[in-house]
Amino acid sequence: MPNKLAVIGLDCLTPQLFYGDWLADMPNFKRLLDGSLSGNMVSIVPPITIPAWTCMMTSYDPGMLGIYGFRNRKSYAYEELYVVNSSTVKAKTVWNYLSRNRLRSILLGVPQTYPPRPLNGLLVADFLTPDKDSDFTYPPELRSEIDRVADGEYIIDVKDFRTDKKRELLKQIYTMTERRFKVFRHLLSHEEWDFAMMVEMGPDRIHHGFWRFCDPGHRLYEKGNEYENVIRDYYVYLDQEVGRVLAAIPQDTSVIVVSDHGAKGMHGGICINEFFIQEGLLTLKDYPKEPTSLKAGIVDWKKTKAWGEGGYYARVFLNVEGREPEGVIPRSELQAFRMSLKKKLEGLTDEKGENIGTRVFFPEEIYRTCNNIPPDLIVYLGDLNWRSAGSVGHNRIHVFENDTGPDDANHAEEGVFAWYKRGRGSASSRPSRPGSGKISIFDIAPSILDFFSIDVPDDMIGKVL
């Protein structure tokens, strides 16, 4: 019988902070890293929570999953975007394979598990759960225990991490994290399990909410501000929580610490649709007097060739003849148009006229297949140093406050990974210096199946570590 495996997922935990000077003040993380197989983990394109965790747990890329972000096109109509959830995941996850092999799992807060599906084990759904009146646990009766186990109201996610109320946000993050770890330790101690996985959203929320206060390289940083050490203190606090988990599990349990992507300071936002307006590629019926979301009803589609969605990257869609309802780009000219648009986007500059190093991806070139409806272009504005703002009415391309609220950080392409194989002896034969190597996000699922001596399916695209 294989040993137990516990996965501690820390959304957005970032290598340059985790493996840096702070490690000396994080004895539990350091203990895990010593002798572990560890390194930077290369995330998906694009590096965002949905679908990154699902890619990690299926070893499928976003195209294979047909999930390209939080919101996806349902059809080629102009307003057919929908928010994905567990019902959109058709691929088998790690816990599906474990259940088939009669191995019992505990899942807590793993992204894209709402609504919960039956499994051999227990499940508390993720931050996409609408509210706690929803059925967010499996089995359903587990829901009534969550608040009691958490010693207070279990928090699915902070209410609004893009806010100027920083003290309130910080309090929410700590309370959420503390109670999630309490529930995890309780389940580990009181339930039978072979595989247990939790994902805490706190690192993501604290990076977005406080990066400007902690990074001397951020344009809004002020030395000596009251939040200057907030992110470091939170990393040290996470180390303490992880230490409590290690104390609660059997000595022969193997432990993985992993994040889905990293973080970096954000210079500002590029108003992608303002850029298209300036280029003559997007025409509005009436230009708004103040910033407003781009809605299908304000666009003159007969005079529009391209439009974009905002986010940590830009999803760009083209108005193609015979595909979109009022498409204008002939299919025979589609590839040439995409190439010309790629060149225009790669020429984007900052407010001073300096090229920002934008990178453009064509989905069919980076994914093994493209199920459902992918964007026509995926754009890393300024190599993810800038985010995409989808709203219009700014009368300019560059903005320095996010159009959906204060946000200081963007997602980075590499997260963290460490696998401490207690009791199996294999880790000591393959140690690596913390952060020294690179591991693919697609390698995690096949490696977990191999740990449990389950044959790795041929359609998983990662390798066993």
Side-chain angles (χ1 to χ4, degrees):
M1 178 65 67
N3 297 336
K4 297 176 184 292
L5 175 60
V7 178
I8 302 173
L10 300 169
D11 194 283
C12 197
L13 203 74
T14 195
Q16 73 272 34
L17 303 183
F18 183 68
Y19 298 125
D21 295 340
W22 300 352
L23 193 57
D25 297 319
M26 300 190 292
N28 296 296
F29 282 136
K30 188 172 187 309
R31 180 156 60 100
L32 285 175
L33 286 168
D34 288 344
S36 287
L37 176 67
S38 67
N40 288 17
M41 191 209 63
V42 179
S43 189
I44 57 169
V45 178
I48 53 173
T49 298
I50 304 291
W53 287 104
T54 302
C55 291
M56 186 191 298
M57 289 293 113
T58 60
S59 197
Y60 275 29
D61 68 31
M64 297 165 73
L65 293 173
I67 301 170
Y68 303 94
F70 283 82
R71 299 204 305 159
N72 291 257
R73 293 184 82 175
K74 184 184 297 183
S75 74
Y76 284 105
Y78 297 118
E79 282 193 343
E80 291 287 326
L81 290 173
Y82 69 101
V83 177
V84 301
N85 58 27
S86 68
S87 65
T88 54
V89 180
K90 307 304 179 190
K92 289 184 173 61
T93 56
V94 161
W95 48 90
N96 292 146
Y97 291 104
L98 297 180
S99 292
R100 182 182 294 176
N101 284 273
R102 300 185 179 181
L103 294 168
R104 188 169 171 81
S105 300
I106 293 174
L107 305 177
L108 176 64
V110 180
Q112 227 174 332
T113 54
Y114 178 84
R117 292 174 168 180
L119 76 164
N120 180 22
L122 305 171
L123 186 158
V124 180
D126 65 308
F127 71 107
L128 293 177
T129 300
D131 55 51
K132 288 178 62 182
D133 292 329
S134 309
D135 291 328
F136 70 105
T137 67
Y138 179 85
E141 53 268 29
L142 176 63
R143 174 179 149 190
S144 61
E145 294 184 30
I146 299 301
D147 289 342
R148 178 183 62 78
V149 170
D151 290 332
E153 183 183 0
Y154 176 80
I155 300 174
I156 294 170
D157 193 6
V158 296
K159 290 181 180 176
D160 180 11
F161 65 91
R162 296 190 181 106
T163 175
D164 286 320
K165 298 176 181 178
K166 298 301 181 184
R167 290 184 181 178
E168 185 177 321
L169 173 61
L170 192 59
K171 183 179 179 181
Q172 280 193 75
I173 291 171
Y174 268 91
T175 303
M176 173 179 69
T177 302
E178 177 190 10
R179 293 178 181 175
R180 184 130 42 231
F181 270 96
K182 278 184 178 177
V183 172
F184 192 51
R185 289 196 298 272
H186 174 88
L187 296 176
L188 292 174
S189 301
H190 292 81
E191 300 289 341
E192 293 183 4
W193 58 279
D194 300 287
F195 173 76
M197 178 175 181
M198 66 164 286
V199 174
E200 171 54 36
M201 295 301 297
D204 183 89
R205 299 336 190 194
I206 208 162
H207 289 153
H208 288 300
F210 292 93
W211 196 279
R212 73 175 65 179
F213 301 100
C214 307
D215 178 6
H218 196 281
R219 66 183 182 83
L220 296 176
Y221 170 79
E222 293 181 5
K223 187 176 177 57
N225 74 80
E226 68 176 300
Y227 301 115
E228 189 162 15
N229 296 313
V230 159
I231 295 179
R232 177 195 172 281
D233 292 346
Y234 182 73
Y235 272 59
V236 172
Y237 172 72
L238 284 175
D239 178 79
Q240 295 166 6
E241 289 288 5
V242 169
R244 295 185 187 105
V245 171
L246 297 179
I249 56 179
Q251 287 298 308
D252 61 351
T253 304
S254 285
V255 180
I256 292 176
V257 173
V258 66
S259 61
D260 55 332
H261 55 74
K264 63 197 307 189
M266 187 193 304
H267 294 341
I270 299 291
C271 299
I272 189 72
N273 288 314
E274 294 284 359
F275 172 72
F276 289 148
I277 290 171
Q278 289 188 10
E279 292 292 324
L281 302 174
L282 169 62
T283 301
L284 304 183
K285 294 173 182 173
D286 294 297
Y287 190 81
K289 296 179 181 177
E290 58 186 22
T292 185
S293 299
L294 184 76
K295 301 291 186 185
I298 69 173
V299 176
D300 184 344
W301 292 106
K302 289 293 187 185
K303 298 179 181 177
T304 291
K305 292 184 176 179
W307 76 102
E309 282 281 321
Y312 298 117
Y313 69 107
R315 287 161 289 167
V316 174
F317 305 106
L318 304 182
N319 199 21
V320 180
E321 193 175 69
R323 192 182 78 177
E324 273 72 17
E326 299 181 71
V328 296
I329 304 172
R331 285 181 180 271
S332 60
E333 299 175 11
L334 178 57
Q335 188 60 12
F337 181 82
R338 281 207 307 172
M339 292 303 294
S340 68
L341 187 55
K342 178 177 185 287
K343 189 173 181 180
K344 287 179 186 290
L345 290 164
E346 290 173 342
L348 275 165
T349 64
D350 63 14
E351 73 280 14
K352 298 175 183 176
E354 296 291 328
N355 188 288
I356 59 175
T358 293
R359 296 163 62 194
V360 178
F361 303 92
F362 294 161
E364 72 275 13
E365 293 181 353
I366 57 173
Y367 303 139
R368 283 150 181 82
T369 188
C370 292
N371 292 317
N372 299 330
I373 303 177
D376 290 293
L377 300 90
I378 296 170
V379 185
Y380 287 2
L381 294 163
D383 198 20
L384 294 174
N385 290 314
W386 295 70
R387 68 166 287 143
S388 167
S391 53
V392 291
H394 298 274
N395 282 305
R396 55 183 173 148
I397 292 174
H398 305 96
V399 293
F400 295 96
E401 288 295 346
N402 183 23
D403 59 352
T404 56
D407 196 336
D408 306 340
N410 206 347
H411 291 184
E413 293 175 276
E414 295 182 2
V416 305
F417 176 83
W419 190 341
Y420 184 65
K421 297 186 178 180
R422 289 198 292 185
R424 290 176 65 86
S426 55
S428 60
S429 65
R430 293 187 295 174
S432 65
R433 186 167 56 84
S436 62
K438 290 192 177 182
I439 292 161
S440 166
I441 195 170
F442 303 118
D443 296 341
I444 313 302
S447 299
I448 292 173
L449 296 188
D450 180 71
F451 175 85
F452 286 106
S453 301
I454 296 173
D455 291 339
V456 177
D458 292 338
D459 57 355
M460 284 190 170
I461 61 177
K463 67 180 187 301
V464 175
L465 296 170

